[in-house]
Every structure is written in C-alpha cells, then in structure tokens.
Amino acid sequence: MIRLLSPWWLLSLLPVFAVIGVYIWRQLHRRAFAVKFTNVDLLSSLVPKGIGVRRHVSAAAFLLSLLVLSFGMARPSVDTKEPLERATIMLAIDVSLSMQATDVQPTRIEAAKSAATDFVKQLPASFNVGLVSFAKTASVLVSPTKERGSVLQAIDGLTLQESTATGEAVFTSLDAIRTVPADGASGPPPARIVLLSDGFRTAGRSLEDASAAASAANVPVSTIAFGTDEGVVRIGNTPQRVPVDRASLQKVAETTKGYFYEAASKDELKRVYTDMGSSIGFKTKPREITQWYLGGGFLLALLAGGLSLLWGSRLP
C-alpha cells in the first residue's frame, strides 16, 4: 500500500488541474475561433495535414508528467518489514502431563515439538532464540542464542512432568531476555515471548503478576491455546479430562499487547507459528519511492517533447 509522507504537497495538483481545465476549454472552443478566420482555403494550407487526434497525445503526455511529478512531491512510500536489531524470541513450551493427551495426533507434546521446530527454523538468522520448558517450575533449557542447533536439540528432548506453572514460564523468560548482551546498544533488546500451553495454571506465581511484569518490561507475550476440550490423560489408573484454558491465555496476550491463537491440531499449530514468524521481531518502516515518480514524470515529459517535435516541429 502506498502512503504519502508529505501529503500537503498534493496541493500542487491544483494548478495542474487548472491547466488541464484550460486546455479542455480551449479545445471545446476551437471551432468558435476558427470561424473568425473566413479564408478557409488559406487556413487549410497553414495547418499541418495528418495531425488529427495526434495533436492531443503530446499534450496529454505533458500534462500526465505534471500529475506524476506532483504526486512525487508528496513523497510516496511503501511499507517494508525489517528485522529488529538484537531481536530476541523466547519460546516457552508447556511440558505438563496433560500434553500427553492424544486429542491432537500423535500427542499434544509431539505435535508441539514438530511445530516449534519448524518455527525456529523459519526465524531470521539474526534473531536470538531461547527455550523455556515449564511444568511445576520453569527452566531455561537454552539461553537466547543465534545457534539454532542447540535450540532444536532441546526441543526434541522435551520430557513431561507434573503441574503447570504458566506464570513462572513468563518470569523465567523475562530473566533470560535480560541476559542478552548489549553489543554496544543501549537498553534492553526488542523481545517477544511465545508461550504454548494446553491447560490451567496449577503452580507458581499467577498469570496476572506475570502479565504485569512483562508489560513493565515492554515484552509482549503471544500465547497459543493448544488442544481441544475433549483431551483426556490417564494419571495412575484414573482418566482425567484436560480442557484448554483459553480465557487466561487470551488475557495474558491482551494485557501484554501480544497475540492470542488457538490451535486444535498439528497443522493448525504450524499455521499459527508461520503467522507468528511473519509478525513478531519485525518493524514496519516506510521506504520512500519518490524516485519512481520523478523518473516516470521525466520520461513522460521526454515523450511529450519528442512527439511534439516529431509531429509539429515544436515543443508543447
């Protein structure tokens, strides 16, 4: 989409439209002026033959060049996406026992591993990526790094444990983000937390406290509610339902200005990660394309002059 950085320069179109109006008015009244010249034979000998409608082509090219140049003065631009410098993505994955549910084939945890692997691979090489797993507590498995191999290996080695400390996952991710080297820059790195969970918090600090800490650190938390309400796991010999806590995860995303997603299958989860990869860790920056308009106006002006000289031996 084209945006104008200096839209007030569009006022320069007004005199161009005035010239176009005068030109059209003159053409409409040419017959009235021609009648005043009574010697028709002499008039026909003075006017070049074969010009006809061609006399308007050079004028149209000239006027069009003025329009294009006027738009160029308004500094048109297009939005481009650029990776944020020192961008850091912390991937937090729920490894509670509910992730062994088979409502997502083959299991929730195996589907999560596969999708997370694809997500890490698609991120720009300049990004720092870290991994946190959480169950009863949260642990940093890989500190933020540009080395993808260690992150992928840690994802593949995720194992399940009891309880779900979702709030602790956010706090631990924030601690890991603070370890990113400054590399000569000032302030903390631009960071995002991507948190995948399938159930309700059962341990650790609250999600409200975690959301407040993330907001204070200016770190958006994007959450993924993974699984279905029909998920069942067997703890001991007792089957236990493990529905998804969508409301809490959505509130975390909204409070921290992140994104909330739902995924009920492996394919849906992969689509979520693909969408995330195209939106987080980037900044939208206008790229000015004024030179395109200046070049177009210049070429149209050359065309107008060339056609006018070719057909009328004069410049427009």
Side-chain angles (χ1 to χ4, degrees):
M1 180 178 178
I2 295 178
R3 292 192 300 149
L4 302 178
L5 300 180
S6 301
W8 53 87
W9 278 105
L10 289 178
L11 292 173
S12 63
L13 289 171
L14 295 178
V16 179
F17 287 135
V19 172
I20 293 175
V22 170
Y23 179 80
I24 294 174
W25 182 85
R26 290 283 297 177
Q27 296 308 308
L28 293 176
H29 290 77
R30 285 181 71 252
R31 187 178 299 274
F33 289 113
V35 170
K36 294 179 182 180
F37 200 102
T38 56
N39 193 336
V40 179
D41 293 334
L42 178 60
L43 181 63
S44 62
S45 65
L46 293 174
V47 177
K49 298 184 184 213
I51 294 181
V53 73
R54 290 185 300 176
R55 66 176 179 268
H56 301 300
V57 176
S58 60
F62 174 70
L63 293 172
L64 188 58
S65 72
L66 293 180
L67 289 174
V68 172
L69 290 173
S70 295
F71 272 104
M73 292 173 66
R75 299 176 61 199
S77 67
V78 292
D79 289 339
T80 57
K81 289 170 57 175
E82 296 183 358
L84 293 170
E85 295 180 5
R86 301 169 61 220
T88 300
I89 308 297
M90 287 303 303
L91 184 58
I93 298 180
D94 186 347
V95 292
S96 60
L97 294 179
S98 58
M99 289 290 284
Q100 65 185 318
T102 57
D103 56 331
V104 178
Q105 295 296 321
T107 62
R108 290 180 180 179
I109 186 61
E110 290 303 321
K113 286 181 180 181
S114 176
T117 297
D118 290 345
F119 173 66
V120 170
K121 288 180 178 179
Q122 78 173 11
L123 291 174
S126 60
F127 283 19
N128 292 304
V129 183
L131 179 65
V132 168
S133 67
F134 63 98
K136 188 173 183 178
T137 60
S139 303
V140 178
L141 300 184
V142 181
S143 296
T145 177
K146 292 183 175 65
E147 173 53 49
R148 299 292 186 263
S150 57
V151 179
L152 296 175
Q153 184 176 358
I155 291 173
D156 186 59
L158 291 173
T159 56
L160 303 183
Q161 304 171 41
E162 294 183 356
S163 300
T164 307
T166 316
E168 293 300 327
V170 176
F171 281 108
T172 302
S173 296
L174 292 173
D175 290 339
I177 290 168
R178 296 187 186 100
T179 67
V180 176
D183 291 336
S186 60
R192 302 289 187 274
I193 297 173
V194 177
L195 186 148
L196 180 146
S197 183
D198 69 339
F200 292 79
R201 182 188 67 86
T202 60
R205 285 171 282 185
S206 70
L207 282 171
E208 289 75 16
D209 290 344
S211 298
S215 295
N218 195 29
V219 176
V221 181
S222 293
T223 57
I224 306 171
F226 186 46
T228 70
D229 291 332
E230 288 70 44
V232 176
V233 296
R234 187 171 292 275
I235 300 179
N237 292 321
T238 305
Q240 183 174 328
R241 292 190 61 199
V242 283
V244 180
D245 184 11
R246 298 178 181 85
S248 296
L249 294 174
Q250 183 173 6
K251 187 175 181 181
V252 171
E254 291 175 350
T255 302
T256 61
K257 298 181 180 179
Y259 301 94
F260 170 71
Y261 299 90
E262 292 184 58
S265 69
K266 179 179 177 180
D267 290 339
E268 285 185 9
L269 182 58
K270 288 191 174 186
R271 284 196 293 271
V272 166
Y273 274 130
T274 299
D275 183 55
M276 278 188 171
S278 64
S279 61
I280 63 176
F282 291 88
K283 62 181 177 182
T284 300
K285 184 177 180 181
R287 181 169 67 88
E288 197 168 336
I289 55 174
T290 301
Q291 67 275 13
W292 296 0
Y293 285 79
L294 295 180
F298 177 72
L299 291 176
L300 286 169
L302 284 180
L303 177 64
L307 292 177
S308 185
L309 288 172
L310 177 64
W311 292 335
S313 300
R314 59 188 177 86
L315 291 173

